[in-house]
Amino acid sequence: MRRETQLEGRTDALDLLAHFPAGVTPRPEQARLLAAVADAIAEALDDPAAARVVLVEGPPGVGKSHIAMTLARWSGDAYLLTSQKLLQDQYEREFGAELQIVKGRDNYACDRYPGAHVPTSRGACRRPRGPLCQCPYVRAKTAALGAPIFCANTTYFATLRHWHAERLRRRRLLIVDEAHNLEAQLAGVYTAGFPPAEMRAWFGGPLPHLASADDYRALLVEHLDRLEARRAAIGRELEALRPPELAADLFLRMPPSRAEQELIAQRDNLESAFARVRFFLDDAGEWIMRYPPDPDATLELVPLSVAVMARELFAESAELVVLSSAHLGPKSVLAECFGLDAGGMRAFASPSPFPVEQRPIVYRPVGALSRSSLAALEPALFAAIATILDVHRAEKGLIHAPSYAAGARLVRDLAARAPAHARRLIWVESTEAKARALDAHRASSVPTVLVSPSLRDGVDLPDDFLRFQIVTKMPFPDLGDPWTAARRERDPRWYALETAKALVQAYGRSCRHAGDHGVSYVLDAQFERFLARYRVLLPEWFLDAAEPALRARGSSDGTE
Ligand code: SF4
């Protein structure tokens, strides 16, 4: 018998362009992509066995957020997920009134303590005997749950859906924007992490280094009682914070002290760890242990595959799923990653709307950079970077460093080698420092240059904010990370595709709109080898710029 679905009976609504956000004319690439997606949806409407996962790939400048909004508006019933809060803010700025945004509790202030800036995660209701009320967070979540377009970041959504039994009803459409990050984000949602301070508080000291994640199963079963005991102890400590002579309601009228907020945060961490440990213990899949040998290391237990979780997320969240990104790669790799049947997916890709002259690649290899060769090749690498900085002495730019350690060495080297250019550098020493560094870069009247290993993704630096960028080392995922190493062992194509996606993301910073331009330098000779071997994993619009760069290099070497 034919299964009834919410999607049925909507074939009349397939003029997707009619739902394009008002005030903007669709570009030809957007119109073509939407027409192709409309066909896939029409098929899904007519045939319950048709593909229900649609991949939409479009390079920077195509306007994927407008495509996502068109689909969400057409459905009238969508979850729209972004990979970062920065992108969520972008959606809010562009389409504010049309979608209802909800963020994690920490982003809202408790109404009960105006002026004290107590986040709702530590608000009055989180204190012993605290009242239940409708806070800005609850209001935002309730509004989003009732709105035609619920917009959240992917991690928040997956966490809410899995760990807290709130009913996120099945909708017509789930759109995951920047979906190239989805696997890593889902792995993060299910990871059981034990930072050193927590291990001391919960277990009296660091957990031992065992041979594999599985070896922690028996140990953690034993420790569940200790976690429970610690949770009860925190509850008692919280109760004891109120001076006995002070009535509970009077105490609750005072904002929680720093000590009380810390205890509430500890209790939340403990509860979250408890839930994740239970999930780890109940899950029969393969898990990977991250536990570096240094004494202050964090122990993490990470699921090797998120296939089961992703399949469940897709199936339970919506009738139809759209995954969107600049580049997602072959369906077969994605299908394996998300536990899907490749036949149940349709993929549509757009070319770049910008001529290659506005987004050229210049290939200037200093040698094949790898973990083992990096130290020997760094002097040549740093010299090449100094030369490029000199050429672009009046322009802002971005240097993609190989790692935080190598980035710090580069900054030190340039201070001695090219002090005038070193003063232009804005060193981004951690992911937390990103937003502040980007603000400083945008605000400065000097031709500043950002240096970071973590600005490949989700960073918008149009026009004069970026006229050149340097890809130092090819962005191979770090095989020193046990999860990455195990994932590659299971599927070498996955590792190559992750590299291709990271490279394409970095390249995508260079030209953001029709009137923009920016040059990308690539200094790693592995670029050439990678292209020769994995051309098929890269989109045409990237190859349009990469192949002339290789040819130009070949002819300047006399190898052509
Ligand atoms: S529900 Fe009320 S008490 Fe709790 S955080 Fe929100 S405003 Fe504060």
Side-chain angles (χ1 to χ4, degrees):
M1 202 177 83
R2 198 177 151 147
R3 191 167 64 96
E4 287 294 314
T5 74
Q6 291 178 335
L7 281 173
E8 281 179 311
R10 293 184 62 91
T11 38
D12 57 328
L14 272 185
D15 177 13
L16 288 180
L17 279 180
H19 300 271
F20 204 80
V24 192
T25 309
R27 299 189 186 116
E29 295 82 10
Q30 288 171 322
R32 277 195 290 272
L33 273 174
L34 283 169
V37 174
D39 283 349
I41 294 176
E43 236 179 89
L45 297 176
D46 290 341
D47 176 6
R52 288 190 177 248
V53 177
V54 178
L55 313 180
V56 175
E57 294 174 296
V62 159
K64 289 188 293 298
S65 57
H66 279 75
I67 293 177
M69 270 308 284
T70 304
L71 292 166
R73 295 176 87 229
W74 162 77
S75 76
D77 187 32
Y79 292 121
L80 171 52
L81 310 184
T82 64
S83 64
Q84 304 179 25
K85 271 190 271 177
L86 277 175
L87 296 168
Q88 209 177 347
D89 294 341
Q90 205 172 307
Y91 269 97
E92 193 165 26
R93 274 198 305 278
E94 286 192 51
F95 312 107
E98 297 219 46
L99 36 74
Q100 204 67 48
I101 296 218
V102 59
K103 300 178 181 173
R105 271 183 174 277
D106 278 340
N107 295 282
Y108 302 87
C110 174
D111 277 351
R112 301 256 167 171
Y113 309 116
H117 297 297
V118 177
T120 57
S121 52
R122 293 162 207 180
C125 59
R126 316 287 286 174
R127 304 172 73 184
R129 293 181 237 288
L132 278 181
C133 65
Q134 283 285 309
C135 71
Y137 167 68
V138 176
R139 283 198 297 273
K141 195 168 69 173
T142 310
L145 287 170
I149 306 175
F150 173 115
C151 180
N153 77 58
T154 310
T155 299
Y156 171 83
F157 180 81
T159 306
L160 189 66
R161 210 191 62 77
H162 189 82
W163 301 111
H164 307 287
E166 278 98 345
R167 286 309 306 153
L168 285 169
R169 67 182 170 77
R170 194 165 187 242
R171 292 202 173 206
R172 191 165 288 138
L173 183 65
L174 167 70
I175 305 167
V176 185
D177 194 7
E178 300 289 308
H180 57 277
N181 289 321
L182 184 57
E183 182 187 24
Q185 286 180 320
L186 289 181
V189 165
Y190 298 98
T191 292
F194 306 91
E198 265 87 352
M199 285 197 277
R200 273 193 296 277
W202 300 343
F203 313 121
L207 289 172
H209 286 256
L210 304 179
S212 73
D214 270 348
D215 294 328
Y216 284 90
R217 290 184 188 275
L219 184 77
L220 286 171
V221 167
E222 280 173 31
H223 278 307
L224 279 178
D225 287 347
R226 296 182 82 149
L227 290 176
E228 197 54 74
R230 181 68 196 134
R231 179 158 61 176
I234 291 177
R236 285 193 297 276
E237 284 172 51
L238 279 166
E239 293 275 5
L241 285 177
R242 176 168 62 88
E245 65 282 6
L246 201 59
D249 59 335
L250 284 179
F251 183 62
L252 282 170
R253 268 186 237 158
M254 295 157 31
S257 63
R258 178 182 289 235
E260 185 172 357
Q261 291 199 44
E262 271 167 21
L263 276 177
I264 293 171
Q266 276 182 34
R267 186 190 59 196
D268 286 353
N269 285 345
L270 186 60
E271 281 170 359
S272 154
F274 198 81
R276 283 171 170 78
V277 166
R278 281 226 157 277
F279 183 75
F280 163 67
L281 293 174
D282 291 345
D283 187 72
E286 191 175 341
W287 287 64
I288 301 299
M289 171 193 71
R290 276 195 191 119
Y291 202 6
D294 52 286
D296 234 13
T298 292
L299 165 65
E300 287 183 326
L301 301 167
V302 193
L304 177 58
S305 165
V306 295
V308 174
M309 297 82 148
R311 191 172 53 224
E312 198 180 284
L313 178 88
F314 294 166
E316 290 181 4
S317 300
E319 295 277 320
L320 193 72
V321 177
V322 174
L323 305 180
S324 153
S325 170
H327 186 50
L328 291 165
K331 277 195 294 184
S332 56
V333 183
L334 257 84
E336 193 271 333
C337 185
F338 296 139
L340 303 169
D341 166 18
M345 302 164 96
R346 296 280 306 273
F348 306 103
S350 166
S352 172
F354 314 137
V356 76
E357 298 74 39
Q358 286 175 233
R359 49 182 181 88
I361 293 177
V362 175
Y363 177 46
R364 280 200 194 149
V366 297
L369 299 173
S370 66
R371 256 174 176 237
S372 55
S373 70
L374 193 58
L377 289 171
E378 269 186 355
L381 179 70
F382 296 164
I385 293 170
T387 304
I388 296 168
L389 286 173
D390 201 45
V391 170
H392 296 274
R393 63 177 76 88
E395 291 176 328
K396 286 184 184 271
L398 166 60
I399 302 173
H400 300 282
S403 64
Y404 284 109
R409 287 197 295 275
L410 166 67
V411 172
R412 279 198 300 276
D413 180 276
L414 288 176
R417 187 190 295 270
H421 294 310
R423 283 193 284 279
R424 298 165 57 196
L425 302 181
I426 297 179
W427 167 229
V428 191
E429 80 277 5
S430 65
T431 35
E432 293 72 43
K434 249 161 86 166
R436 211 173 344 110
L438 284 165
D439 287 346
H441 177 72
R442 290 188 180 109
S444 173
S445 55
V446 172
T448 45
V449 179
L450 292 154
V451 184
S452 170
S454 62
L455 287 179
R456 287 195 294 264
D457 223 323
V459 176
D460 192 26
L461 293 170
D463 303 313
D464 287 343
F465 292 132
L466 189 152
R467 288 297 179 208
F468 73 101
Q469 61 170 344
I470 306 173
V471 175
T472 53
K473 184 176 176 300
M474 280 288 287
F476 293 109
D478 178 13
L479 286 174
D481 170 50
W483 185 84
T484 305
R487 195 68 186 79
R488 184 178 87 151
E489 202 178 307
R490 175 177 279 200
D491 184 359
R493 279 176 323 159
W494 169 88
Y495 186 73
L497 179 58
E498 288 300 298
T499 309
K501 288 194 295 188
L503 181 61
V504 165
Q505 283 296 327
Y507 172 63
R509 302 307 108 210
S510 65
C511 183
R512 310 294 296 168
H513 61 85
D516 198 5
H517 63 93
V519 53
S520 301
Y521 294 90
V522 178
L523 306 185
D524 186 353
Q526 303 246 33
F527 177 66
E528 199 168 345
R529 297 181 193 174
F530 187 83
L531 249 76
R533 185 145 182 220
Y534 296 113
R535 192 184 183 287
V536 63
L537 296 181
L538 290 156
E540 282 302 324
W541 54 271
F542 177 84
L543 294 170
D544 289 346
E547 286 176 342
L550 292 182
R551 281 198 297 277
R553 178 67 199 175
S555 46
S556 75
D557 278 354
T559 51
E560 262 190 358

